[in-house]
Amino acid sequence: MTGYFITFEGGEGAGKSTQINRLRQRLAQQGQSVLVTREPGGSPRAEEIRTFLLSGQAKPFGAFAEALLFYAARLDHLDQTIRPALLKGTHVLCDRFSDSTRAYQGASGNVDKRLIEGVERVVVADNKPDLTLILDLPVDVGLQRAGVRREGAGEGVDRFEGEGLSFHEKLRQAYLDIAASEPKRCVVIDANRSPDDVEASIWHAVQTRLPLLAVNAKDAQPHGA
């Protein structure tokens, strides 16, 4: 009996955190066991690496070094958090996963795709997401949203939000390319709408791709039961 592994991807300001929380609430109301986590982070050692990466301290070492640090964090995250939860029958909702490395450091950071894929095969192995929801919206809208969020939280610009417009345009296209190359796993969600409309599209995708998660609470059962 294993849980489903669902990842949320997208550029800055796409609304991933909001939609992850909404899906968690919906599934919890149905009696499902759900864990929300994030990358980089999600385990004590991975959170330490997150602080180092998002502060920009790794940037001088180049995009490939950053990618290796992301995968180091991902390895600990998988070992300490994701795999144990899935094995208990808990569904895992993760804010970013390996597609972010492919998009940010691969396509936008110009790291050779073969290098990224090689490291991913070793670290991720068979622990690929059952479903990846890619929240897509125009870059200018996303960056504006991210700016409003930062101001509200009193936060500064992190390592990746501070990149130029061309970086974020490449990032958006990279995500769309990933979705096109893996249509059985990925669903592109139009995030340039109200949170309620985005939530409805996400729930439709979950019902379509992972019907066991759409059952009533009395019938709820984990993936693999």
Side-chain angles (χ1 to χ4, degrees):
M1 295 175 62
T2 59
Y4 278 117
F5 183 22
I6 304 175
T7 55
F8 285 68
E9 298 282 0
E12 307 301 329
K16 298 186 309 306
S17 297
T18 296
Q19 295 303 329
I20 286 174
N21 189 52
R22 289 188 176 211
L23 181 57
R24 178 194 63 78
Q25 291 177 342
R26 186 188 287 263
L27 295 175
Q29 288 170 357
Q30 291 189 340
Q32 304 276 4
S33 176
V34 186
L35 172 69
V36 171
T37 187
R38 68 177 182 178
E39 288 212 347
S43 63
R45 291 190 183 91
E47 287 291 336
E48 293 177 5
I49 297 175
R50 176 189 179 89
T51 299
F52 184 73
L53 282 164
L54 297 190
S55 68
Q57 294 181 73
K59 184 177 180 179
F61 298 101
F64 183 54
E66 284 186 320
L68 291 177
L69 286 169
F70 274 107
Y71 275 109
R74 184 161 299 130
L75 181 62
D76 192 67
H77 188 203
L78 281 164
D79 287 344
Q80 301 299 319
T81 305
I82 295 174
R83 289 194 191 102
L86 293 173
L87 289 173
K88 289 191 300 184
T90 296
H91 306 303
V92 176
L93 310 182
C94 190
D95 185 343
R96 298 196 183 284
F97 193 60
S98 56
D99 289 320
S100 282
T101 309
R102 295 164 67 186
Y104 277 79
Q105 283 71 48
S108 298
N110 297 315
V111 175
D112 192 312
K113 179 181 178 181
R114 293 169 297 178
L115 291 175
I116 296 287
E117 291 176 345
V119 179
E120 182 172 334
R121 280 195 298 271
V122 174
V123 173
V124 177
D126 295 329
N127 299 114
K128 291 186 177 181
D130 295 294
L131 174 63
T132 296
L133 300 159
I134 297 176
L135 276 59
D136 176 65
L137 77 170
V139 168
D140 57 339
V141 175
L143 292 177
Q144 182 179 26
R145 287 184 183 179
V148 171
R149 181 198 64 211
R150 286 196 311 273
E151 291 178 7
E155 300 173 347
V157 177
D158 73 20
R159 156 73 180 89
F160 299 104
E161 290 174 347
E163 289 287 349
L165 193 63
S166 62
F167 176 94
H168 292 284
E169 292 287 0
K170 287 182 181 179
L171 180 67
R172 183 188 186 190
Q173 187 58 52
Y175 275 124
L176 295 176
D177 290 343
I178 289 170
S181 67
E182 298 187 54
K184 292 184 178 180
R185 174 175 67 87
C186 301
V187 177
V188 177
I189 303 293
D190 180 3
N192 195 21
R193 298 174 294 160
S194 73
D196 288 346
D197 287 341
V198 175
E199 179 185 1
S201 293
I202 288 174
W203 185 238
H204 179 265
V206 169
Q207 288 178 304
T208 303
R209 301 298 183 92
L210 307 174
L212 285 180
L213 288 186
V215 298
N216 293 326
K218 62 183 177 65
D219 297 321
Q221 56 180 311
H223 170 46

